[in-house]
Amino acid sequence: MSNPQNESSGNEDDDFTSTFRSMGERMNMTIGQQAENQAKFCQTRVANSEKYLGSLCEVMGSITRKTAHIRDKGDILAKLCKDYSDEENVSHSLKAGLRVCAENLSVIQDYRQTQIMRLESKVVRPISDYGNICKQIKIGVKRELEAVKREDKKKIELQKLRSKNPGNSHQISRAQSDVERAREDASIGSKHLEEQMVSFEKRRLHDIKTSMLDYFKIQLVFHAKAIEFYSKCFESMSMVDEERDLQEFQRKLSMARGVPDTEEISQALTSMTTTTNGYSDTLGSSDPYTSTYELTASDHRRVRISKTSTMYGDDEDDDEDDDYYDDDEYDLSTAR
């Protein structure tokens, strides 16, 4: 039987060996090969960032456009509720509920408009800038790869020249100078690309983190406000009295058929009042007061009486009415 501890030790030795071998291979690479590997790594990194940041920008833009579409439909719904409330003349509790819903739905769409503007400025726009940023980075990577290829080409030319004309020191010296110049250009380009990639990575990390945090914050703020005003809409519609509105409709329907309204008749009968020393000259009139004449010991006097009050007013009201009306204007015999 094999010992698990020995197997684990063997695996660790293999990992160390492969790591050491990889380090040795990197040390044996020429400067041109190192620059080429670095450029290819940067190229892969930028292509990956461009792919996913582009998709992220597309999705965020689609969410923003769909939110704007929902806002437009919400405005239509709010206007529909308002128009329906204005036209409703029978179901009074439904009328009130629709009016409150229209007001709160309109406020929600205002908050949704703010949500759209924040999504565009804080989320979509920063991510959309990476189209040009990645394009510039890819140009730098391409330039570095061309410099590496140019160095390799100069090296090959120098080797061919040495093999063909080993005694031509002038051409060999010129070729060596070309190789050194190409190597220097590649080295400068590699350092510049490295600095550019570090700056790109730093900005990428910051912008992705900030954009996603802003997105979630915007959504949280909007939905918190939406819950508040949707709750008011729910409450207003819960207060709709279906039975009362149905009774009102049946009453209006009976009146439309020409059937006398029993409720109005009952109210008219209860408004009929009689007096002890006089009589009422109105019956269910539209005036909130009834005019009654009362015969006193000295003269005739008009008393102003509310339908909901007792038959005779108190002394203070009578005194005020005496000041307002002229005693000679009304005569008991003429009124009768």
Side-chain angles (χ1 to χ4, degrees), residues 63-281:
I63 291 173
T64 305
R65 290 189 297 272
K66 290 182 182 299
T67 303
H69 184 68
I70 296 174
R71 175 206 58 198
D72 295 339
K73 295 299 182 181
D75 288 335
I76 295 174
L77 178 60
K79 186 177 184 303
L80 182 62
C81 290
K82 181 181 180 302
D83 293 343
Y84 197 177
S85 174
D86 293 340
E87 293 294 330
E88 180 60 59
N89 295 321
V90 177
S91 303
H92 298 294
S93 66
L94 179 62
K95 177 184 180 72
L98 289 173
R99 184 179 67 253
V100 174
C101 283
E103 294 172 354
N104 288 282
L105 286 172
S106 180
V107 174
I108 291 172
Q109 306 321 309
D110 292 339
Y111 280 108
R112 203 184 297 274
Q113 173 62 23
T114 303
Q115 177 193 20
I116 293 168
M117 295 173 62
R118 289 177 178 174
L119 286 173
E120 290 177 348
S121 62
K122 293 180 177 292
V123 180
V124 178
R125 191 173 301 158
I127 297 177
S128 65
D129 292 340
Y130 277 86
N132 292 327
I133 294 173
C134 291
K135 184 178 180 181
Q136 295 298 323
I137 297 292
K138 289 195 301 185
I139 292 174
V141 172
K142 183 179 179 181
R143 189 184 298 117
E144 175 63 15
L145 289 174
E146 290 176 352
V148 172
K149 290 179 180 179
R150 188 163 50 251
E151 180 187 0
D152 292 339
K153 183 179 179 182
K154 294 297 182 181
K155 286 180 179 180
I156 293 172
E157 290 177 357
L158 176 60
Q159 291 174 358
K160 288 182 179 180
L161 184 61
R162 283 177 175 174
S163 62
K164 290 182 179 181
N165 298 316
N168 193 344
S169 59
H170 179 70
Q171 290 185 355
I172 291 174
S173 177
R174 181 183 296 177
Q176 287 178 343
S177 298
D178 292 340
V179 171
E180 292 296 331
R181 190 180 301 109
R183 183 181 292 115
E184 184 179 358
D185 291 342
S187 177
I188 293 173
S190 178
K191 291 181 180 178
H192 178 70
L193 178 62
E194 183 178 353
E195 293 174 355
Q196 194 176 15
M197 282 300 300
V198 170
S199 177
F200 167 78
E201 190 70 11
K202 180 180 179 181
R203 180 176 178 179
R204 185 186 69 88
L205 291 171
H206 175 75
D207 287 346
I208 292 177
K209 176 183 177 181
T210 304
S211 297
M212 295 304 293
L213 286 175
D214 286 337
Y215 173 77
F216 295 129
K217 182 179 178 181
I218 290 167
Q219 296 293 350
L220 285 170
V221 171
F222 168 74
H223 285 91
K225 290 294 184 180
I227 288 174
E228 176 183 351
F229 289 96
Y230 276 129
S231 298
K232 294 180 180 180
C233 294
F234 183 85
E235 182 180 1
S236 66
M237 294 308 297
S238 298
M239 297 299 292
V240 174
D241 191 341
E242 301 177 36
E243 294 296 330
R244 181 179 176 184
D245 287 351
L246 181 60
Q247 292 176 1
E248 182 66 16
F249 171 76
Q250 291 174 339
R251 189 177 70 85
K252 295 287 186 181
L253 182 63
S254 299
M255 293 176 62
R257 293 202 310 265
V259 178
D261 188 2
T262 56
E263 183 177 354
E264 290 187 356
I265 295 175
S266 176
Q267 291 179 356
L269 291 175
T270 55
S271 65
M272 297 178 61
T273 59
T274 57
T275 61
T276 305
N277 297 326
Y279 67 96
S280 173
D281 63 346

